[in-house]
Amino acid sequence: MDGTGTSGILCSIQGGNIYVIEYLYHTQFATKHYAFNQIRDILPFPQCPQPQPPVHQPKLLY
């Protein structure tokens, strides 16, 4: 709600809190919890775009 953001993996929801694994540094991760009243939105990551085949453009000979 205060504009602070984070990203991570949602682990569980219990007792009015959500529990998220967040990346810290190198190979370190931490499980953190946030109360519902601290949260404005929970959004999923978008899907990776699918590669598009190249479009053939003929060369004009003139």
Side-chain angles (χ1 to χ4, degrees):
M1 295 299 269
D2 66 2
T4 301
T6 188
S7 63
I9 298 171
L10 178 61
C11 294
S12 68
I13 300 173
Q14 42 182 278
N17 291 289
I18 66 166
Y19 293 82
V20 179
I21 291 181
E22 297 177 10
Y23 173 72
L24 295 176
Y25 175 76
H26 193 53
T27 59
Q28 298 175 355
F29 295 84
T31 301
K32 296 187 178 180
H33 66 91
Y34 300 94
F36 286 158
N37 65 356
Q38 292 178 280
I39 300 167
R40 179 176 298 161
D41 294 315
I42 299 176
L43 303 170
F45 276 97
Q47 300 238 342
C48 292
Q50 296 298 316
Q52 300 297 316
V55 177
H56 176 68
Q57 295 182 351
K59 290 184 178 180
L60 299 174
L61 301 173
Y62 59 95

